Amino acid sequence: MSFAEKLTSIMQKPGQDPVAKDDVPVWLKYAGRGLGTVGSLIAIFLGAWNSVSILWGSIDCLISGMWQMVAGFIVVMIEAPCCCLFIDFVQNLSDWVEKRPYWNRAGAYCLMAIPPVFLCIKMSSIFGSGLIFATGVMYGLMSLGRKAPLPEMRSAAINIEVPSSSMQATLVGNAQPMGFTNRPDSNV
């Protein structure tokens, strides 16, 4: 058994099928999960930092910080349920989200990350929500899937046929000489 196989067997969840059902690279899955875990913990801390601005009377930043902390907690529950062992339903929630397509998770993370930035434009809300948004972007990239092999892409690029009714063909084929007219009369 190679080192990579040992590492994958250690990192898989209990009851998970050892054969991957999708064609997303393993490094991208772990990068998304790692960014989601670390980024959400940082977002929780920075959300608490934003909430301290209530001392200066900034209600918008308080709401932004609370939203960011809740969003970070939801992401850490989904990405790293081992961090929330004290809550009963976290493992069931994480398993349910794992069965959903990647684009669902990408959309949810990106939508959760936007409101704190609009409520309080500070570096702490931009950076904390930006990490959650970046996790959503990574899951969006995972939803696109693997790209085609190089020979297949190369043959598809070579065999592009331009139909005669396309805009490119009619612009060149129907080109007419430019007509020259007299200068407009400025006295009118």
Side-chain angles (χ1 to χ4, degrees):
M1 181 181 270
S2 70
F3 178 71
E5 290 172 346
K6 287 180 184 177
L7 185 65
T8 350
S9 67
I10 291 171
M11 296 298 282
Q12 72 184 8
K13 294 171 104 179
Q16 182 180 0
D17 190 14
V19 179
K21 293 182 178 76
D22 53 1
D23 56 350
V24 177
V26 174
W27 65 269
L28 190 58
K29 285 182 183 179
Y30 289 131
R33 191 169 290 275
L35 179 64
T37 304
V38 173
S40 63
L41 292 174
I42 292 172
I44 291 171
F45 173 74
L46 292 176
W49 186 260
N50 261 357
S51 296
V52 171
S53 65
I54 190 65
L55 297 174
W56 295 278
S58 178
I59 302 297
D60 293 342
C61 288
L62 171 71
I63 295 170
S64 168
M66 290 179 358
W67 186 295
Q68 189 171 335
M69 287 190 294
V70 168
F73 185 68
I74 289 171
V75 172
V76 84
M77 279 192 324
I78 293 171
E79 296 298 324
C82 61
C83 295
C84 304
L85 289 175
F86 54 90
I87 303 175
D88 298 350
F89 66 89
V90 170
Q91 188 63 43
N92 294 336
L93 174 71
S94 178
D95 291 340
W96 180 76
V97 171
E98 285 291 324
K99 294 174 187 170
R100 309 289 304 158
Y102 288 128
W103 66 268
N104 291 140
R105 200 181 310 186
Y109 290 171
C110 289
L111 286 176
M112 278 192 303
I114 292 173
V117 176
F118 286 126
L119 287 171
C120 179
I121 302 175
K122 283 182 154 180
M123 282 307 292
S124 57
S125 62
I126 292 172
F127 185 67
S129 293
L131 290 171
I132 295 173
F133 192 85
T135 305
V137 168
M138 287 195 71
Y139 278 106
L141 290 174
M142 283 187 226
S143 71
L144 294 176
R146 200 179 281 261
K147 66 181 187 177
L150 183 62
E152 185 178 331
M153 289 192 306
R154 191 172 286 155
S155 68
I158 291 172
N159 296 332
I160 294 177
E161 295 179 19
V162 179
S164 62
S165 65
S166 75
M167 188 172 182
Q168 294 172 346
T170 56
L171 284 176
V172 175
N174 296 335
Q176 304 213 352
M178 290 179 60
F180 293 102
T181 59
N182 294 335
R183 283 183 24 202
D185 191 15
S186 61
N187 294 336
V188 177

